[in-house]
Amino acid sequence: ATTTTTTSASGIPRVTEVDKTDAAVFRLLDVGCGVSCVGAELIRDWATSTSEWGYEDGSTSTVQRQPPSVCVDAIDFAKTAVDAVTTEQADLIQSGTLRVQVADVLDPAGLPFERARFNLILDKGTLDAIVHGYSGEARDVAIITALSEVDRVARPGCALVHVSDEPPELRLPTLATTLTDWRLSWREVGTGGYTAFAYTGFKKVPE
């Protein structure tokens, strides 16, 4: 499955085109969801929007129709954040479209998901926390551990949207070192005088 993303006026990444011919469910992973849980916002967009979602037909045109269903897994290492999202998004959790749990990309046991599960992975600060929270060799190991887990749970054709305060001359080499089978790009985003960078990656589909 392949995914195209754009950025809304608020700076939040939005999915605009989805090729889902090989999957009945579009699966999204929100890494380090915090209390805001962008994944929950995307579920609500998915349920109400018909103009921003569609299928890419393999050529140049897009058929505007909603994919069959979406399922979001939101994770955070902080139980307080998970509890807050669980309370705030109780309706989505009850519907089965949102699952929230405590999990850490740095856990030696890995994330609690099988290989090649997700079509889209979001990170709006988790890698930044790792980069700024560690130093030296420990930072290098932590970055490789986190990105290796992202790569493991991503399906071929998966999209990665990663929002960071670090400029591309620093962040792109960090991503490229581990995500060797991904096509990476970036754009500047942000509002109200705050500058951030949205990095997107697409995992290559084996020929």
Side-chain angles (χ1 to χ4, degrees):
T2 57
T3 310
T4 300
T5 59
T6 61
T7 305
S8 67
S10 63
I12 297 175
R14 306 174 81 89
V15 176
T16 55
E17 295 178 359
V18 181
D19 174 5
K20 291 184 65 289
T21 56
D22 64 341
V25 179
F26 186 82
R27 299 190 181 277
L28 184 153
L29 175 62
D30 189 351
V31 179
C33 62
V35 297
S36 59
C37 193
V38 173
E41 180 180 336
L42 291 175
I43 291 175
R44 298 187 191 283
D45 280 352
W46 193 285
T48 59
S49 173
T50 56
S51 61
E52 291 189 333
W53 304 89
Y55 289 79
E56 185 180 8
D57 70 357
S59 59
T60 58
S61 63
T62 299
V63 178
Q64 293 296 336
R65 58 188 175 123
Q66 287 184 290
S69 60
V70 60
C71 180
V72 172
D73 282 283
I75 63 170
D76 200 285
F77 77 95
K79 186 177 183 300
T80 52
V82 169
D83 289 345
V85 173
T86 299
T87 300
E88 181 73 19
Q89 308 296 343
D91 58 329
L92 296 180
I93 293 172
Q94 185 174 6
S95 74
T97 55
L98 175 65
R99 301 191 307 176
V100 188
Q101 61 181 307
V102 175
D104 189 346
V105 290
L106 298 183
D107 189 331
L111 293 174
F113 309 111
E114 70 271 21
R115 181 180 299 275
R117 176 178 177 82
F118 295 101
N119 303 90
L120 174 63
I121 298 174
L122 304 177
D123 167 33
K124 60 183 190 328
T126 297
L127 187 58
D128 279 4
I130 293 171
V131 169
H132 299 314
Y134 292 81
S135 61
E137 184 177 352
R139 178 174 60 188
D140 295 340
V141 171
I143 290 171
I144 292 172
T145 298
L147 291 178
S148 294
E149 274 302 281
V150 167
D151 184 58
R152 183 184 68 82
V153 301
R155 294 178 179 178
C158 176
L160 167 68
V161 178
H162 162 55
V163 181
S164 172
D165 60 5
E166 192 169 63
E169 60 267 25
L170 297 176
R171 184 51 52 92
L172 280 178
T174 298
L175 297 172
T177 297
T178 302
L179 302 181
T180 55
D181 290 331
W182 293 66
R183 187 174 72 254
L184 302 169
S185 61
W186 66 278
R187 64 180 296 180
E188 187 173 317
V189 297
T191 58
Y194 173 75
T195 299
F197 302 91
Y199 297 90
T200 57
F202 295 90
K203 189 171 184 178
K204 297 177 183 177
V205 179
E207 297 181 357

